[in-house]
Amino acid sequence: MVYIEGILADEKARLLEKKQDYESKMKLLPRGSIVHKKIGGKSYPYLMFRENMKVKTVYIKNIDFDSISKQIEDRRRMEKALKNIKENLKVIAKVIK
């Protein structure tokens, strides 16, 4: 049983390190999602996000579109991974008790 507790303690430390890593990386990435607005028959990409309880939209230049869409995709992937990490930490906390 001591061996299993040691493994779980190591896993908990690893998960906490990963959690901090993801949270710090996510602070640098844009929040929100990309929407396309039709203006004058043409479609323009905008980044839509909440800031202080207000919805903000910021125009995305065509040059920056690929970069920003990849960053948003990375953020969503990290959010899913972070959710799994938090669930695993809860399970470990229950088992260690």
Side-chain angles (χ1 to χ4, degrees), residues 21-56:
D21 184 42
Y22 280 141
E23 288 173 345
S24 65
K25 286 180 181 178
M26 284 174 49
K27 287 181 183 177
L28 302 175
L29 297 174
R31 294 178 300 140
S33 60
I34 295 176
V35 296
H36 292 274
K37 293 185 178 183
K38 285 202 175 215
I39 301 173
K42 293 185 179 180
S43 179
Y44 296 95
Y46 284 83
L47 178 63
M48 185 177 281
F49 58 96
R50 285 193 180 272
E51 186 175 283
N52 297 330
M53 301 299 291
K54 291 185 179 181
V55 176
K56 300 236 176 174

Side-chain angles (χ1 to χ4, degrees), residues 15 18-19 22 26 74-88:
L15 288 174
K18 274 294 226 193
K19 179 182 171 190
Y22 280 141
M26 284 174 49
D74 289 345
R75 183 181 177 96
R76 287 196 179 134
R77 182 182 50 78
M78 286 183 196
E79 286 172 345
K80 286 181 183 178
L82 191 59
K83 182 178 178 182
N84 288 336
I85 287 172
K86 289 179 181 179
E87 289 173 2
N88 289 340

Side-chain angles (χ1 to χ4, degrees), residues 63-75:
I63 297 170
D64 300 333
F65 179 75
D66 291 333
S67 171
I68 291 177
S69 63
K70 183 182 179 322
Q71 289 175 357
I72 289 175
E73 183 180 311
D74 289 345
R75 183 181 177 96

